[in-house]
């Protein structure tokens, strides 16, 4: 048995890109003279942020005409690096590739074996690892569902693959999967009834299962109960996995946390008593390395907004560079009424709490921070000081744990934080609202919370998306379920026809505008109709009407995004990667830490697509290069 509080295993843009995003140090005087410093932005040289040490991530995607080979341009590569592509030791490109990080090998079979060599200052480097082959246009990672079971009231259940995340669990430079299995009787917090256990697996790209964690009967299963963060918090080159746990959680080594016999479920299936923990698991072995009490404690159930257990168990999670260089874990509870956010450091095999933000504290009470949370959070350096803030729906918390701003517009189901308007300095937030007395959607300056534009109140606006999906209008397009048309970054309607979905996004084809990802397909927006680019074969989406993939993001190949769905029979994670050539070269988005932390918390509650710290879209400036350190 692993007892809480013990540590059984020590841890073996044009004008507005943030200064921390540049690899080249530019003096504050030059920046000021050029008008490049936004208000509140740091004039100091960029601080390198701890990031994963990644391999080249080469993929070969087969089409009827040949193979698209693409690979990562790493932050640690020189700006002027070039590349050569080799098939079975023979170079296939005629001259070094400089303008992109992909190459189409016409007429090649799906079995062709490729490596890539960087060319630095005219000197060719060694071979990359061999390309991951997408022989049928996709790559399958075998998975094995847990055995089903039966609840105390006699209801049988089986398991479905649900949300996934990625991290280098064993330090080999290759991203591995962490997959959450949900029972078929998983519940929304508003629904009574027992659920099966939530199961979490660590899986290598070849399907090798590294470990399986059973969160146990005292963690209810559903979208709002288990948010898992996969990140290298201590900088040892291997990702850890952080989750809320309870008595009866069994780690990846078969050891039980707390009491294995305790059962705190009431007759309605809710868990409203008993201890609650936060555990850091070893990403390679699944062993529980450290367990502490979850902050905040549950306390009185009714103090969170109802007495039956709906609002008390609304959890969010994230990862943020609060000191500007190393990642911290963010764990939160509540957003309809009281909100508590705890920031944790994982250093030297132990948790240390950095700060706690509580809307009920004397510092924050009555200032309009309560009731402002969404079903997700965003992490970004909104004030340009090199340190991350937590954008928690309609309010934000500074890197030091103090309230930064609040719009008082209340709770909503979706928000997007990024460089949505590249014509103005700073980041923006687009959000939809649920309160019928408040704007149905709005865009705000992410540094100050100042509302830039809004749409009229119109009840519960349950869907909203913002990014550059159409080259016919500069900057991001924003649209939502309850507001008319597609709007530009100034709030003006620039197209009357909204996209066929208001869900997820993916950079998929060869241009820099983003595509629409919904259910099991990807579409290209057009003002008259959407064009289908991809339909997943024998796969399923997750999370009911949210219809989200297991994961979508830049996890392999060049800067474009892969999409991962589970197969219909839940025996594989099916990865799709673009077959299209691009002439754009961008450093792997995995090393833009705003994008990377957004990818890490994509599984949180109502999944949202990740946004980088800079603008990607039609007419974009040369993308900035991130400043990172790697193990």
């Amino acid at each position: 048995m692993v007892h809480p509080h013990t540590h059984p295993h020590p841890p073996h843009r044009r004008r507005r890109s943030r200064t921390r995003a540049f690899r080249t140090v530019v003096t504050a005087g030059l920046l000021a003279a050029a008008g490049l410093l936004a208000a509140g932005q740091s004039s100091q040289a960029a601080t390198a942020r701890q990031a994963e040490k990644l391999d080249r991530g080469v993929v070969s995607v087969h089409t009827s005409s040949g193979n698209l080979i693409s690979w990562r341009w790493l932050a640690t590569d020189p700006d002027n690096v070039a590349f050569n592509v080799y098939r079975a030791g023979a170079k296939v490109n005629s001259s070094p590739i400089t303008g992109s990080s992909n190459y189409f090998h016409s007429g090649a079979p799906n079995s062709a074996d490729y490596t890539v060599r960087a060319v630095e200052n005219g000197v060719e480097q060694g071979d990359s690892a061999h390309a991951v082959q997408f022989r049928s246009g996709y790559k399958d990672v075998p998975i094995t569902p847990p055995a089903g079971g039966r609840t105390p009231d006699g209801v049988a259940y089986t398991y479905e693959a649900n949300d996934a995340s990625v991290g280098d669990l064993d330090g080999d430079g290759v991203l591995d999967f962490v997959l959450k299995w949900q029972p078929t009787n998983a519940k929304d917090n508003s629904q009574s009834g027992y659920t099966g256990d939530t199961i979490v697996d660590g899986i290598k790209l070849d399907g090798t299962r590294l470990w399986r964690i059973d969160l146990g009967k005292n963690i209810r299963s559903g979208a709002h109960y288990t948010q898992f963060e996969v990140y290298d918090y201590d900088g040892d080159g291997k990702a850890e996995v952080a989750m809320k746990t309870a008595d009866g959680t069994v780690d990846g080594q078969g050891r039980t946390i707390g009491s294995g016999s305790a059962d705190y479920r009431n007759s309605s299936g809710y868990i409203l008593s008993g201890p609650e923990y936060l555990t850091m698991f070893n990403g390679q072995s699944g062993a529980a390395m450290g367990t502490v009490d979850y902050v905040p404690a549950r306390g009185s159930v009714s103090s969170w907004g109802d007495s039956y257990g709906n609002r008390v168990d609304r959890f969010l999670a994230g990862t943020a560079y609060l000191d500007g260089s190393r990642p911290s874990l963010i764990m939160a509870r509540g957003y309809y009424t009281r909100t508590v956010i705890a920031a944790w450091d994982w250093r030297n095999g132990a948790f240390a709490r950095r700060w706690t933000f509580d809307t009920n504290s004397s510092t924050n009470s009555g200032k309009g921070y309560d009731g402002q949370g969404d079903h997700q959070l965003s992490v970004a350096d909104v004030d340009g000081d090199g340190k991350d803030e937590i954008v928690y729906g309609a309010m934000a918390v500074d890197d030091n744990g103090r309230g930064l701003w609040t719009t008082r517009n209340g709770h909503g189901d979706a928000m997007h934080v990024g460089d949505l308007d590249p014509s103005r300095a700073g980041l923006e937030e687009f959000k939809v609202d649920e309160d019928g007395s408040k704007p149905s959607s709005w865009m705000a300056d992410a540094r100050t919370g100042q509302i830039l534009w809004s749409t009229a109140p119109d009840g519960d606006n349950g869907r909203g998306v913002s990014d550059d999906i159409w080259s016919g209008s500069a900057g991001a397009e924003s649209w939502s379920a309850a507001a008319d048309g597609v709007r530009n970054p100034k709030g003006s309607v620039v197209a009357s026809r909204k996209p066929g979905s208001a869900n997820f996004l993916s950079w998929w084809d060869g241009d820099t505008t983003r595509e629409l990802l919904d259910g099991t397909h990807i579409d290209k927006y057009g003002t008259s109709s959407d064009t289908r680019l991809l339909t997943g074969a024998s796969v399923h989406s997750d999370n009911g009407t949210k219809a989200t993939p297991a994961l979508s993001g830049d996890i392999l190949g060049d800067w474009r995004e892969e999409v991962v769905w589970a197969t219909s029979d839940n025996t594989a994670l099916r990865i799709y990667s673009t077959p299209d050539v691009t002439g754009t070269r961008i450093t792997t988005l995995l090393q833009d830490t705003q994008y990377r932390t957004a990818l890490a918390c994509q599984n949180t509650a109502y999944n949202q697509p990740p946004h980088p710290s800079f603008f990607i879209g039609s007419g974009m400036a040369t993308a900035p290069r991130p400043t990172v350190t790697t193990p």
Side-chain angles (χ1 to χ4, degrees):
M1 177 184 295
V2 177
H3 293 281
H5 316 293
T6 65
H7 313 288
H9 292 287
H12 293 158
R13 161 165 124 149
R14 285 188 294 237
R15 308 181 320 143
R16 48 122 329 154
S17 302
R18 337 289 287 171
T19 30
R20 68 171 175 78
F22 289 99
R23 302 175 76 236
T24 305
V25 176
V26 185
T27 66
L30 286 173
L31 286 169
L36 295 178
L37 277 180
Q41 189 170 0
S42 169
S43 63
Q44 310 215 345
T47 299
R49 291 190 172 200
Q50 174 190 310
E52 295 153 306
K53 185 175 178 63
L54 299 166
D55 72 1
R56 193 60 70 187
V58 185
V59 298
S60 172
V61 181
H62 184 66
T63 74
S64 59
S65 302
N67 298 322
L68 179 74
I69 303 96
S70 76
W71 57 91
R72 295 177 181 130
W73 182 27
L74 297 166
T76 49
D77 289 327
D79 291 349
N80 63 351
V81 70
F83 297 99
N84 289 323
V85 178
Y86 286 80
R87 176 187 174 189
K91 190 168 72 167
V92 298
N93 55 300
S94 58
S95 59
I97 299 163
T98 58
S100 68
S101 55
N102 67 169
Y103 177 81
F104 193 82
H105 191 197
S106 181
N110 65 2
S111 58
D113 181 26
Y114 298 97
T115 58
V116 170
R117 299 178 190 174
V119 181
E120 299 182 11
N121 298 318
V123 179
E124 189 175 71
Q125 309 298 303
D127 269 325
S128 69
H130 292 265
V132 177
Q133 295 178 335
F134 288 63
R135 294 192 175 194
S136 301
Y138 56 78
K139 160 75 175 175
D140 276 357
V141 178
I143 56 177
T144 304
R150 193 173 295 274
T151 59
D153 54 356
V155 177
Y157 59 88
T158 56
Y159 278 91
E160 295 176 333
N162 189 249
D163 295 332
S165 192
V166 287
D168 183 2
L169 300 179
D170 56 7
D172 63 358
V174 179
L175 292 182
D176 309 297
F177 285 102
V178 175
L179 173 66
K180 180 174 76 169
W181 292 94
Q182 276 197 176
T184 48
N185 61 356
K187 305 291 185 187
D188 183 81
N189 298 48
S190 62
Q191 300 168 333
S192 63
Y194 293 101
T195 74
D197 296 0
T198 299
I199 308 294
V200 181
D201 285 351
I203 306 163
K204 290 184 68 64
L205 195 59
D206 65 3
T208 301
R209 192 171 79 212
L210 297 174
W211 44 261
R212 172 165 282 176
I213 294 168
D214 184 342
L215 290 180
K217 64 175 69 74
N218 293 311
I219 296 288
R220 202 166 187 246
S221 193
H224 302 289
Y225 297 102
T226 294
Q227 330 300 346
F228 57 99
E229 287 294 292
V230 183
Y231 221 85
D232 181 7
Y233 291 104
D234 58 11
D236 68 350
K238 300 179 182 180
E240 290 78 44
V241 182
M243 289 180 285
K244 182 176 179 286
T245 58
D247 280 354
T249 294
V250 179
D251 77 1
Q253 296 296 303
R255 285 175 296 220
T256 301
I257 294 173
S259 169
S261 61
D263 186 348
Y264 300 107
R265 296 173 295 183
N266 65 24
S267 59
S268 296
Y270 290 97
I271 300 155
L272 304 180
S273 61
E276 302 174 289
Y277 310 127
L278 171 63
T279 299
M280 189 67 79
F281 295 93
N282 184 295
Q284 186 166 11
S285 69
M289 297 189 293
T291 295
V292 294
D293 289 334
Y294 191 86
V295 175
R298 181 188 297 113
S300 169
V301 171
S302 60
S303 69
W304 296 90
D306 61 66
S307 59
Y308 72 96
N310 181 356
R311 297 184 175 188
V312 66
D313 280 353
R314 300 283 183 154
F315 300 103
L316 299 179
T319 296
Y321 289 76
L322 300 173
D323 66 359
S325 60
R326 301 186 70 183
S328 298
L329 173 67
I330 304 298
M331 300 298 282
R333 180 179 220 142
Y335 36 76
Y336 290 114
T337 53
R338 180 189 180 194
T339 287
V340 183
I341 306 170
W344 300 89
D345 291 337
W346 176 256
R347 310 282 188 261
N348 302 314
F351 279 114
R353 187 149 35 115
R354 178 177 283 266
W355 49 253
T356 304
F357 173 90
D358 188 343
T359 57
N360 275 10
S361 71
S362 57
T363 302
N364 299 316
S365 180
K367 295 184 178 179
Y369 291 110
D370 55 306
Q372 303 303 307
D374 271 21
H375 293 289
Q376 67 281 144
L377 55 78
S378 288
V379 172
D381 176 14
V382 302
D383 57 9
D385 65 355
K387 303 175 183 180
D388 286 341
E389 283 71 48
I390 313 302
V391 183
Y392 202 84
M395 63 96 164
V397 176
D398 207 350
D399 56 81
N400 57 12
R402 298 171 186 164
L404 186 64
W405 53 258
T406 176
T407 68
R408 300 177 186 255
N409 279 340
H411 169 74
D413 282 4
M415 66 171 176
H416 299 258
V417 177
D419 191 355
L420 305 177
D421 185 355
S423 72
R424 67 181 300 277
L427 304 175
E428 294 79 37
E429 175 185 8
F430 174 74
K431 181 179 173 313
V432 294
D433 277 341
E434 196 167 285
D435 187 336
S437 67
K438 302 292 175 64
S440 62
S441 66
W442 46 268
M443 185 173 284
D445 183 322
R447 181 175 67 90
T448 64
Q450 175 191 0
I451 301 297
L452 303 174
W453 59 264
S454 62
T455 58
D458 194 10
D460 182 353
N461 194 6
R463 292 285 197 280
V465 184
S466 185
D467 214 332
D468 188 15
I469 61 165
W470 180 44
S471 61
S473 176
E477 286 73 51
S478 302
W479 71 101
S480 64
D484 63 315
V486 174
R487 296 170 186 269
N488 68 12
K490 308 305 180 185
S492 300
V493 174
V494 292
S496 59
R497 194 193 78 83
K498 292 189 288 189
S501 67
N503 188 20
F504 235 71
L505 299 164
S506 175
W507 280 295
W508 181 258
D509 64 10
D511 62 37
T512 53
T513 57
R514 213 169 184 184
E515 280 65 61
L516 309 166
L517 170 55
D518 184 50
T520 57
H521 57 264
I522 293 176
D523 294 336
K524 185 81 170 177
Y525 173 71
T527 54
S528 59
S529 64
D530 298 336
T531 301
R532 183 64 42 89
L533 301 182
L534 172 71
T535 299
S538 302
V539 295
H540 70 77
S541 60
D542 299 330
N543 304 313
T545 61
K546 305 302 178 190
T548 50
L551 184 70
S552 181
D554 175 19
I555 61 174
L556 287 165
D558 62 27
W559 58 274
R560 276 124 10 121
E561 294 175 301
E562 283 64 47
V563 58
V564 183
W565 291 290
T567 55
S568 301
D569 59 3
N570 293 295
T571 61
L573 291 177
R574 182 158 289 173
I575 312 170
Y576 283 87
S577 189
T578 182
D580 296 329
V581 172
T582 183
T584 300
R585 186 159 89 160
I586 299 174
T587 308
T588 176
L589 297 182
L590 288 167
Q591 291 180 325
D592 178 89
T593 55
Q594 179 175 322
Y595 184 94
R596 183 65 184 91
T597 55
L599 188 65
C601 73
Q602 187 178 123
N603 68 84
T604 294
Y606 290 174
N607 308 18
Q608 298 294 311
H611 295 273
S613 63
F614 58 95
F615 176 73
I616 299 178
S618 181
M620 67 180 286
T622 300
R625 307 226 42 222
T627 302
V628 301
T629 60
T630 61

